[in-house]
Amino acid sequence: MTIEVRPIREEDIESFHAAVGVVARERTYLALLEAPPIERARSFVLRNIEKGYPQFVAIADREVVGWCNIPPASREVMAHVGDLFMGLLPQWRGQGLGERLLRESLAAADAFGYLRIELGVFAGNTRAAALYRKAGFIEEGVKRRAILIDGVFHDEVIMARLRD
């Protein structure tokens, strides 16, 4: 099956929302328990499209099976910083798709003009951390007990990639 990696489109919103929900409900990879309400997801995606913020999706059989988005940090003094979020549906992991999504998204982020891209990854998600290191991210620290899901604390590793 051919996988297309491309910028998100308005017609992808519902499928993107569903994919986020699947990964969130795993309670292992995202600091979410479920996808945000569909209208919030719709507003987020439409804003990304309108502003040209990097947001790529992996499409298989017309459905979103993975995503990587890099919106700007929320404060004006951090306009040069992008916050990276990504995920893949379980059956698509371990096949190089995350690396493709990340590579395309980082190229778009560089073209957009970000000088710093940062992310947080669960300390136990060593595969994702290794992927980020391979893409030039460096560990900057650990937020101990930063995430609490179902009574279990998770440390969050903070990583960043700087561009000159």
Side-chain angles (χ1 to χ4, degrees):
M1 175 176 289
T2 303
I3 308 295
E4 180 184 17
V5 173
R6 61 165 170 74
I8 198 165
R9 299 176 187 154
E10 187 172 351
E11 63 263 24
D12 299 323
I13 292 171
E14 288 173 14
S15 183
F16 163 70
H17 180 260
V20 171
V22 168
V23 178
R25 286 187 298 276
E26 288 181 282
R27 297 172 179 250
T28 304
Y29 303 106
L30 301 179
L32 297 171
L33 301 178
E34 59 186 51
I38 184 67
E39 285 312 314
R40 199 163 97 206
R42 183 178 312 283
S43 295
F44 173 77
V45 171
L46 291 176
R47 182 190 72 144
N48 288 349
I49 292 169
E50 176 189 337
K51 302 282 188 180
Y53 300 150
Q55 183 169 10
F56 282 73
V57 289
I59 304 290
D61 199 24
R62 295 189 298 265
E63 295 295 324
V64 172
V65 299
W67 72 90
C68 183
N69 47 272
I70 312 175
S74 57
R75 292 180 283 172
E76 186 178 333
V77 296
M78 296 177 69
H80 64 290
V81 178
D83 286 326
L84 188 144
F85 304 93
M86 69 181 293
L88 288 171
L89 293 180
Q91 64 271 33
W92 296 97
R93 296 179 189 143
Q95 302 173 43
L97 187 53
E99 186 172 357
R100 275 181 67 193
L101 271 167
L102 183 59
R103 187 175 54 247
E104 294 285 335
S105 299
L106 290 175
D110 289 345
F112 186 78
Y114 289 130
L115 301 177
R116 173 185 170 88
I117 299 171
E118 56 191 29
L119 60 89
V121 61
F122 283 47
N125 192 352
T126 57
R127 286 176 61 185
L131 172 63
Y132 298 136
R133 278 189 212 92
K134 185 176 178 181
F137 285 81
I138 296 171
E139 237 177 80
E140 294 189 326
V142 176
K143 290 170 65 176
R144 295 178 41 225
R145 298 174 63 160
I147 300 162
L148 178 62
I149 297 176
D150 298 330
V152 177
F153 286 104
H154 301 271
D155 293 348
E156 183 180 28
V157 178
I158 305 304
M159 301 180 83
R161 173 184 172 267
L162 302 178
R163 206 173 63 114
D164 295 328

